[in-house]
Amino acid sequence: MSCINTLQCSDSNFKNTAKDNDWKLCSDSPPKDKRMWPSLGNGHVGFAAQGDTIYMNGLYNGNGTTSTRARIPAFISVLLVATPEPGKKTYCLDMKQGIFVVTYTIDHLKIELKTFAHRNQTRLLVTQISIITDGLQPAIQIPLYINHGMPSDGINLINKTSDIPHTRYTSGKTKEAETPESGHTPVHVYYSVIPTMIMVKGGSIINKTNVFLMSVSPFQHDARASYIKGLRMIKNDTLESTHVKAWNNLWNSGKIDIYGNKSLASLTYSSLYYIYSALPTTEELTWPFVGLSPSDLAHNGYNGHVFWDQDTWMYPPILLLHNNLARTLIKTRLRTLDSAIDYARLLGMNGARYPWESALSGYDVTPSEDCRKYEIHVNGDIAVAIQQYLMISNDNQIHFTTKLKSAIFALADYWISRSTFNVSRDKYEILDVMPPDEWNFPVNNSVYTNYVAKKTLQLAGYYCKRMGCVVPSIYNTVADKLVIPFDSRLQYHPEYEGYNNVTVKQADAILLGWPLDMKMSLTVRKNDLDIYSKVTPAGPAMSWGMFAIGWLDVGKYEKATISFYKQQENRKDPFNMWTENSDGTGATNFITGMGGYLQSVVFGYAGVRIRKHGLIINCQQIPYTTGYRLKNVDYHGNSIDIVCNHDNITLTIIEGSTLMSVLLANNKTILLLNGSTLRIKRQKVTIMPICSQSNLMRSENTEKNINIKLFGRFIVVLVIGSQICVGFLIMKLF
């Protein structure tokens, strides 16, 4: 059974809705562990609710390996440390609105303390204190404590005169430059003077909100202008509403809904929320976005540095839901290309070598000498991310407005330089590396490292086929002859040459199946999973998401369920904060693990695969749920809703500039137009672009001249302007 009518296939048929309480994480008591206060951020600034520290994107102090995020005191952090008499306190993170709310209630009085980092006025941090009474309360004094903590040890902040009433201004520079060339990073802060006490008159009805601001920028004019704009928004009562609207727009343009399981729904929203909070929604023009750190922007885990975590773990689900945010992440790597080229040259290599850890300058700031020397697979991780972006976005402008081509060739040149030809084997090898499994190094021919190197070399060919350039023949030669360890007797991929079944730190060789998408038999895929599941005892959170994806690939659904739910051992109450390890140790708030979890939903249960010819969807039911939706998946300029439940899969083209066809499991093809919906029995389908933007680039009046002509019952010709875009499409309606 199928339907292709929008009304027939509306959500009302599925009885699946996302409830408002799935968006709120609330507790009547504060977290027992002080590290577990939730993150608030907007990609420019981030902080933990009730905390004493603000972090600004790109603000690092320290030279080279001593680099770490520079702390700004939280002049806007207000605590209700004492209350007039015993009452009820609740602490709520509203993920839908990006606001943290502390509510204190006693008879006749309610105090509401709201804190948020403004979603589109990104320099602004906001605290709002609302007092509501019914007129029967006595006179009350409410003490406020400003939790700004100790002075910053990374910035020389000096208080200066402010020309804005009731406002303080402080500025300074980082104490130690990352490199001589990068210099000392400036920071300018304007913030409201917050009283230490609020007086509440007795016997009068009160409904009043006090609003306090803090603006942070590397530039004084920017910080000041943002602060003044915030004051104007307070005056016209648009400060909170514009923030909420921006968050709603972000959710509406890409999210994942889980139905029938409140805990899993909230976990999914919170995983997206914490990653979104660390990302800017608009491109920064005056100050570069540095990238995603494993502990988001509100915490200083791993010194706030950028690792492979961004490209391999957080990036893929963001790519599917928000191509524009994925482009932002790709551009963080293109921004530092020159530094990577210089780094390779300093090491005696050609091309570009991206460091294991980077900060503002793009030079190596890795404190671990071993990781700095041996862990080089990040070069390949970046290349894989670039190819995924090109395949899913069909973005033609990025070729002409960025250093993309230079980066692709520089990445490939590095692997040519780093590989060694073994005459006796007639093979190229990559020696002395640290694989993702950081417990075993240095090793030769890491299967993961070598395969991402191969994919990097093949990326150049893919790019040139699209753009009409020529690939040096050595790229294909090395790619074809690069050693990819394989045990033909046991039919599995050894993690590296000489691997002898020792314990591994985390998912490594199993990543060949996903995210590297290596073609292999089900037997080999299953053997990889069987062997490595027995030697991966603990590992960081994202390992279990990858095992879940793998077990689903080979039809081992019970094992997939165990791995999928094992990830939740890293989630901590009450605000769904994640720690790197399940025992609470390691980095906090670990958005790398959240990225792995989201991938287990999107690329595991939804079965999404990004291929050159189309987007594959092969959804399975998530255990203990009634269904799920991938809302507004971005593909070739289209937004596509994908809904899966026990019986059906429903595809809806919400909007877009590309005509789509859907290839079903029985090789029948259905044409989907903008606004149309297809509902069929759950099965593997492939969504394919028919007339993509690249096909239409030569037609100046494309939008006005697209005609779909039907000949007979099943033959469709798509006429674009004066040309036939694709030709014929067989279309079967059920």
Side-chain angles (χ1 to χ4, degrees):
M1 174 256 181
S2 70
C3 58
I4 56 168
N5 179 279
T6 303
L7 295 177
Q8 273 186 288
C9 300
S10 66
D11 278 349
S12 61
N13 287 349
F14 304 116
K15 299 179 181 179
N16 289 326
T17 57
K19 300 178 181 178
D20 284 343
N21 59 4
D22 295 343
W23 291 93
K24 293 182 179 180
L25 297 169
C26 298
S27 175
D28 290 338
S29 58
K32 295 179 181 179
D33 187 337
K34 292 182 179 179
R35 300 176 303 152
M36 298 304 151
W37 288 98
S39 299
L40 299 162
N42 56 27
H44 178 69
V45 287
F47 64 105
Q50 304 277 282
D52 64 4
T53 297
I54 307 293
Y55 291 115
M56 186 185 86
N57 158 62
L59 186 65
Y60 296 91
N61 182 65
N63 179 265
T65 59
T66 65
S67 163
T68 189
R69 276 190 174 137
R71 174 184 174 275
I72 303 170
F75 300 117
I76 200 73
S77 181
V78 177
L79 305 182
L80 296 172
V81 294
T83 48
E85 58 184 89
K88 180 181 179 181
K89 273 187 182 180
T90 59
Y91 304 83
C92 280
L93 175 65
D94 188 331
M95 298 177 287
K96 194 171 188 177
Q97 299 188 355
I99 298 176
F100 183 74
V101 186
V102 180
T103 305
Y104 169 72
T105 55
I106 58 174
D107 291 342
H108 314 299
L109 171 68
K110 177 181 177 181
I111 305 171
E112 190 175 72
L113 174 64
K114 288 184 177 181
T115 313
F116 56 91
H118 204 285
R119 184 69 254 186
N120 55 16
Q121 300 300 320
T122 58
R123 276 53 179 159
L124 290 180
L125 300 157
V126 182
T127 291
Q128 298 179 166
I129 303 174
S130 298
I131 309 293
I132 303 169
T133 69
D134 62 4
L136 300 178
Q137 80 288 349
I140 298 172
Q141 294 181 345
I142 303 172
L144 304 178
Y145 175 71
I146 315 305
N147 187 31
H148 54 65
M150 300 296 291
S152 175
D153 58 359
I155 313 169
N156 289 311
L157 287 175
I158 301 173
N159 294 326
K160 300 179 180 180
T161 302
S162 171
D163 61 345
I164 306 173
H166 311 295
T167 302
R168 293 194 174 108
Y169 166 53
T170 185
S171 68
K173 294 182 179 180
T174 52
K175 294 181 179 179
E176 189 175 10
E178 187 177 312
T179 69
E181 293 77 17
S182 65
H184 299 267
T185 305
V187 61
H188 298 266
V189 180
Y190 285 84
Y191 61 98
S192 302
V193 177
I194 302 177
T196 58
M197 189 80 66
I198 292 181
M199 307 296 295
V200 179
K201 293 181 180 180
S204 59
I205 296 175
I206 301 172
N207 189 343
K208 182 180 179 181
T209 299
N210 300 277
V211 185
F212 307 104
L213 302 176
M214 177 174 172
S215 67
V216 180
S217 175
F219 313 105
Q220 182 184 4
H221 70 276
D222 188 28
R224 185 180 182 279
S226 295
Y227 191 91
I228 291 175
K229 186 167 186 177
L231 292 176
R232 291 172 181 164
M233 295 172 79
I234 293 172
K235 190 173 182 179
N236 60 29
D237 197 26
T238 60
L239 187 66
E240 182 178 337
S241 63
T242 53
H243 165 77
V244 171
K245 182 179 179 181
W247 264 107
N248 286 336
N249 288 341
L250 181 59
W251 288 117
N252 288 334
S253 61
K255 64 174 179 173
I256 303 169
D257 295 318
I258 305 289
Y259 304 127
N261 188 320
K262 173 178 168 54
S263 175
L264 212 58
S266 293
L267 180 63
T268 305
Y269 291 145
S270 63
S271 297
L272 286 169
Y273 165 78
Y274 286 125
I275 296 175
Y276 288 166
S277 295
L279 279 167
T281 50
T282 56
E283 187 172 348
E284 288 283 353
L285 299 178
T286 58
W287 183 248
F289 176 65
V290 168
L292 290 176
S293 172
S295 290
D296 71 31
L297 184 54
H299 298 82
N300 196 34
Y302 289 108
N303 300 311
H305 294 164
V306 180
F307 294 71
W308 77 311
D309 301 51
Q310 169 180 281
D311 314 282
T312 302
W313 299 106
M314 289 90 89
Y315 166 84
I318 297 302
L319 168 65
L320 201 71
L321 298 172
H322 294 280
N323 281 184
N324 61 321
L325 298 184
R327 179 187 173 110
T328 295
L329 292 175
I330 293 294
K331 292 180 77 170
T332 66
R333 297 303 194 176
L334 302 182
R335 179 185 72 84
T336 58
L337 174 62
D338 291 343
S339 298
I341 291 172
D342 193 37
Y343 187 39
R345 181 186 58 80
L346 290 172
L347 296 173
M349 297 290 171
N350 297 328
R353 177 181 166 180
Y354 283 86
W356 180 239
E357 299 181 34
S358 60
L360 178 63
S361 71
Y363 285 99
D364 201 325
V365 291
T366 311
S368 164
E369 182 178 352
D370 291 328
C371 292
R372 183 169 65 253
K373 182 176 180 180
Y374 297 116
E375 200 152 10
I376 62 174
H377 61 78
V378 64
N379 253 41
D381 303 321
I382 294 168
V384 171
I386 289 173
Q387 180 152 355
Q388 289 174 336
Y389 177 78
L390 294 177
M391 289 193 296
I392 201 170
S393 72
N394 198 41
D395 180 0
N396 289 300
Q397 293 304 312
I398 196 170
H399 303 293
F400 308 112
T401 58
T402 69
K403 299 178 180 179
L404 182 68
K405 180 180 179 181
S406 298
I408 290 171
F409 278 80
L411 288 166
D413 286 339
Y414 172 77
W415 290 119
I416 297 297
S417 181
R418 186 61 173 76
S419 60
T420 303
F421 184 63
N422 186 321
V423 177
S424 64
R425 300 178 69 177
D426 192 29
K427 290 284 187 179
Y428 284 90
E429 301 178 310
I430 301 177
L431 309 176
D432 294 325
V433 301
M434 179 186 287
D437 169 22
E438 294 170 331
W439 288 352
N440 295 290
F441 71 93
V443 299
N444 295 333
N445 295 318
S446 151
V447 70
Y448 180 91
T449 303
N450 284 24
Y451 195 65
V452 292
K454 180 172 182 170
K455 289 182 74 73
T456 306
L457 295 166
Q458 292 172 334
L459 169 62
Y462 172 77
Y463 176 85
C464 283
K465 188 174 181 180
R466 287 173 59 106
M467 302 305 296
C469 51
V470 178
V471 175
S473 60
I474 189 64
Y475 289 7
N476 295 326
T477 300
V478 175
D480 292 342
K481 291 190 175 186
L482 198 58
V483 172
I484 306 296
F486 182 72
D487 188 320
S488 57
R489 182 177 67 86
L490 297 179
Q491 289 289 295
Y492 90 107
H493 292 97
E495 190 180 278
Y496 48 84
E497 288 198 325
Y499 176 76
N500 58 357
N501 214 37
V502 298
T503 301
V504 304
K505 176 187 176 184
Q506 63 184 55
D508 187 311
I510 69 163
L511 302 179
L512 296 174
W514 180 262
L516 301 190
D517 214 13
M518 175 192 277
K519 290 183 179 179
M520 66 180 83
S521 69
L522 286 178
T523 298
V524 172
R525 182 82 161 114
K526 180 180 178 298
N527 289 343
D528 284 350
L529 293 161
D530 278 332
I531 288 170
Y532 291 107
S533 65
K534 296 171 184 175
V535 294
T536 313
M542 60 277 191
S543 294
W544 315 125
M546 295 303 105
F547 273 109
I549 293 172
W551 291 127
L552 288 167
D553 282 348
V554 299
K556 297 292 183 179
Y557 302 113
E558 185 174 339
K559 289 186 175 182
T561 300
I562 293 171
S563 295
F564 179 73
Y565 280 98
K566 185 175 177 61
Q567 298 174 95
Q568 295 196 39
E569 295 176 4
N570 295 66
R571 181 199 64 84
K572 308 303 175 186
D573 288 327
F575 300 116
N576 285 351
M577 298 282 283
W578 283 52
T579 56
E580 185 173 6
N581 302 309
S582 59
D583 63 1
T585 60
T588 306
N589 185 23
F590 195 52
I591 59 174
T592 301
M594 297 181 201
Y597 163 73
L598 292 170
Q599 289 196 53
S600 68
V601 175
V602 173
F603 304 105
Y605 284 102
V608 174
R609 290 295 182 271
I610 305 165
R611 300 280 164 75
K612 296 175 183 178
H613 66 281
L615 192 69
I616 295 173
I617 314 294
N618 189 19
C619 62
Q620 305 295 325
Q621 185 63 31
I622 300 176
Y624 314 115
T625 71
T626 59
Y628 53 94
R629 173 173 69 164
L630 309 184
K631 178 176 174 56
N632 280 5
V633 168
D634 290 337
Y635 183 58
H636 276 244
N638 285 54
S639 290
I640 308 170
D641 262 14
I642 302 169
V643 178
C644 296
N645 59 25
H646 288 294
D647 302 314
N648 303 312
I649 177 172
T650 304
L651 306 173
T652 304
I653 307 296
I654 303 300
E655 61 179 349
S657 57
T658 308
L659 300 177
M660 292 286 173
S661 67
V662 180
L663 179 65
L664 307 182
N666 59 4
N667 289 323
K668 300 289 177 58
T669 303
I670 293 178
L671 176 67
L672 280 185
L673 306 178
N674 190 5
S676 63
T677 294
L678 168 68
R679 183 185 181 192
I680 55 176
K681 291 294 183 181
R682 201 177 71 198
Q683 60 187 273
K684 181 178 179 180
V685 300
T686 304
I687 303 172
M688 298 178 294
I690 299 173
C691 291
S692 65
Q693 292 173 351
S694 60
N695 294 125
L696 309 180
M697 286 178 69
R698 295 175 183 172
S699 177
E700 296 180 358
N701 300 304
T702 296
E703 294 183 3
K704 298 179 180 179
N705 294 290
I706 298 180
N707 296 297
I708 303 174
K709 297 185 178 181
L710 184 66
F711 293 84
R713 295 181 61 190
F714 304 121
I715 301 177
V716 176
V717 178
L718 306 176
V719 182
I720 311 300
S722 60
Q723 63 177 331
I724 296 177
C725 177
V726 171
F728 301 94
L729 173 72
I730 304 301
M731 176 176 168
K732 175 70 174 176
L733 305 182
F734 298 85

